[in-house]
Amino acid sequence: MSTLTAPDTAEAPPAPSGVQKRRIIFASLVGTSIEFYDFYVYATAAISVFPLLFFPASDAGGALLASLATFGVAFVARPVGSIIFGHFGDRLGRKATLLGSLLTMGIATVIIGMLPTYAQIGLWAPVMLAIMRFCQGLGLGGEWSGAALLATETAEKGKRARAAMWPQLGAPIGFLFANGFFLLLTIWMGHDSTDPAHDGTFLTWGWRIPFLASAVIVALGVYVRVKLEETPVFARAVARGEKVKTPLKAVLQTSWRQLIQGTFIMLATYTLFYLFTTWILSYAIGATENGMLGIGYQDFLVLQLIAILFFAAMTPVSGALADRFGRKPFLIVVTAAILVFGFFFDSFLAPEVMGTGADANMGLMLVFLIIGMTLMGLTFGVQSAILPELFPTNVRYTGSAIAYNFSSILGAAVAPFIAAWLVQNHGVAWVGVYLASMALLTLLSLFSTKETKDLDLDTLTAKDAEPAVA
């Protein structure tokens, strides 16, 4: 099959100027930081607030599992969001779709900050919380892929992974803001997670502030993104007449193998991250009588905030190394390291090794968190390059978004729940075995994938496009 060429009348738009490129970098970074901030605010509250206010149960373990179940609702919504926003992203363009995803996420987060609790309206409280969590998932389902395409489709030749790492930095930045906000509030309001006062200031109204504050930063994100221009790669595809009528149908026809590969390439990354941001918090601050460590919330959150800096530092390193050595060999090495690390969980986290309560070895915990977050930065930084590179331009938004978000169901939605169940029934060592098994699946997917470092994102073969061109 020959390569599709542009019609004689189609003129390729000029590449983005230096000012526009800087604007794209800032917009992708700010936008994903806001989206991840919203997402992590919920994740933190799902551990420390919602089990107390929205999910009354006869035991603390049952309330925690119920709260983590609603945390997973967003991951069910994310593939739906990827289909919806991917459709418009491939039909109308990247810019308009990114505005829609940002507003969907932000509005849902603000509403969560206004919800009445179980004590006020009964079962309607967790139902409404779950609905808003679903809306959060819809927004994030379209956000990441659009931000990644803004970066990759405007990158210089040979520097695509370095450009693509900018939206990835939004994850640690959002985490720092969300959890730093909660830390300051709990210190200011004198909240003690080991002995929470239901009538205290924090649980009465203080926990709502981080959710309501999202309105301000979402307005900033909208302002930045309104000034963006369309990516030249997408504009050239439109000029060549390659825009598709139904992107979902097209990607299933032309790129179903890449969907499967992309889903499993992200699997270890997702599992690692949500074990180290959500599950580990529940395990660290959980009651010792339930087999957990009983560390104070504020003390542990300080360690998490230190460790997340290593995540942020390794993200640009990941992009540079992936541009130099290639996506596939680099990710194979990092994923193998994640697999090996999984077999050392018991050596760090077993209560008899770590200690509990005031006797917990905080230095050992910090080392454990730093190792995990370092690996996270190395594996996460390159994902926004390799996933878009798997798909042709006319279905790239839909394809990369579906792969990214279906992986979230397999690797993130269930990870905190499975890990909490494993600890309660089999011990913390099995959490590491679970992580290692997910890393093995990622390795198998990587071995089946071709290297994409030198791929031209403007290239689209007739074989790929013919079933899909409108």
Side-chain angles (χ1 to χ4, degrees):
M1 292 284 186
S2 61
T3 301
L4 285 178
T5 57
D8 293 338
T9 57
E11 294 184 4
S17 65
V19 172
Q20 184 66 6
K21 284 185 178 180
R22 289 191 291 271
R23 186 174 292 163
I24 288 169
I25 289 173
F26 185 65
S28 62
L29 177 61
V30 169
T32 53
S33 297
I34 293 169
E35 297 279 2
F36 281 107
Y37 166 86
D38 289 353
F39 214 68
Y40 298 150
V41 161
Y42 189 101
T44 301
I47 299 297
S48 58
V49 176
F50 296 152
L52 302 174
L53 300 182
F54 286 83
F55 301 97
S58 57
D59 64 279
L64 174 61
L65 290 177
S67 181
L68 289 176
T70 63
F71 174 75
V73 166
F75 294 98
V76 177
R78 283 171 68 163
V80 180
S82 69
I83 293 171
I84 295 172
F85 289 106
H87 175 87
F88 292 108
D90 285 325
R91 287 288 296 163
L92 303 179
R94 316 324 191 191
K95 173 183 173 179
T97 308
L98 276 170
L99 286 171
S101 66
L102 181 65
L103 287 171
T104 301
M105 183 83 172
I107 292 171
T109 303
V110 172
I111 291 176
I112 289 174
M114 301 177 180
L115 290 179
T117 65
Y118 182 89
Q120 295 169 315
I121 61 170
L123 288 175
W124 281 108
V127 169
M128 294 170 66
L129 182 65
I131 292 172
M132 290 302 103
R133 181 61 174 170
F134 187 88
C135 292
Q136 278 192 319
L138 286 179
L140 193 58
E143 163 61 29
W144 175 86
S145 187
L149 298 195
L150 277 178
T152 57
E153 292 184 347
T154 56
E156 297 178 35
K157 184 178 181 180
K159 298 182 179 180
R160 198 159 54 227
R162 274 170 280 191
M165 70 86 191
W166 287 108
Q168 303 303 81
L169 272 177
I173 290 173
F175 184 93
L176 282 168
F177 275 97
N179 288 279
F181 207 158
F182 267 105
L183 176 62
L184 292 176
L185 284 174
T186 55
I187 294 174
W188 174 42
M189 297 180 177
H191 177 70
D192 182 3
S193 64
T194 61
D195 186 23
H198 284 70
D199 58 350
T201 305
F202 179 74
L203 288 180
T204 302
W205 58 269
W207 67 270
R208 300 179 184 274
I209 297 176
F211 291 92
L212 298 176
S214 180
V216 178
I217 53 180
V218 166
L220 172 63
V222 170
Y223 172 77
V224 171
R225 288 186 169 178
V226 163
K227 293 181 173 292
L228 290 176
E229 297 174 5
E230 192 51 76
T231 70
V233 171
F234 178 78
R236 284 193 288 268
V238 172
R240 293 193 298 263
E242 294 165 355
K243 188 162 63 171
V244 298
K245 183 182 298 184
T246 52
L248 176 60
K249 179 180 178 181
V251 77
L252 292 176
Q253 287 179 325
T254 65
S255 305
W256 61 269
R257 290 182 181 86
Q258 289 86 343
L259 283 175
I260 296 172
Q261 289 169 332
T263 297
F264 284 94
I265 284 173
M266 270 295 302
L267 187 61
T269 304
Y270 262 130
T271 305
L272 175 67
F273 187 58
Y274 281 91
L275 289 181
F276 272 76
T277 56
T278 302
W279 166 75
I280 190 64
L281 176 62
S282 68
Y283 178 70
I285 71 174
T288 54
E289 57 266 27
N290 294 328
M292 292 179 264
L293 300 180
I295 299 173
Y297 172 73
Q298 294 173 5
D299 294 334
F300 182 76
L301 195 52
V302 170
L303 300 185
Q304 270 197 313
L305 293 174
I306 294 172
I308 207 75
L309 296 176
F310 288 81
F311 176 11
M314 289 300 106
T315 300
V317 173
S318 174
L321 293 177
D323 274 336
R324 180 174 180 181
F325 298 108
R327 288 69 161 125
K328 180 176 177 177
F330 174 71
L331 279 175
I332 286 175
V333 171
V334 176
T335 306
I338 294 171
L339 189 153
V340 173
F341 179 52
F343 292 105
F344 287 88
F345 269 46
D346 202 44
S347 301
F348 285 95
L349 296 181
E352 57 271 20
V353 176
M354 177 66 65
T356 59
D359 298 323
N361 188 334
M362 303 298 279
L364 184 62
M365 176 62 80
L366 181 59
V367 170
F368 176 77
L369 293 174
I370 288 175
I371 294 173
M373 286 300 181
T374 297
L375 291 171
M376 182 61 204
L378 292 173
T379 184
F380 188 63
V382 71
Q383 298 295 337
S384 56
I386 190 172
L387 292 189
E389 289 168 351
L390 294 176
F391 301 93
T393 303
N394 59 357
V395 294
R396 185 170 294 132
Y397 202 127
T398 300
S400 58
I402 289 176
Y404 182 83
N405 290 296
F406 265 100
S407 184
S408 75
I409 294 180
L410 301 177
V414 298
F417 188 90
I418 289 176
W421 183 86
L422 285 171
V423 169
Q424 291 182 18
N425 293 276
H426 301 287
V428 73
W430 281 94
V431 179
V433 174
Y434 167 56
L435 173 62
S437 66
M438 298 299 101
L440 178 60
L441 292 175
T442 292
L443 281 173
L444 294 175
S445 182
L446 285 168
F447 281 119
S448 73
T449 306
K450 295 180 180 179
E451 179 56 56
T452 59
K453 178 171 76 78
D454 297 320
L455 179 71
D456 183 357
L457 292 188
D458 266 336
T459 299
L460 183 64
T461 64
K463 178 178 180 295
D464 290 330
E466 279 173 354
V469 174

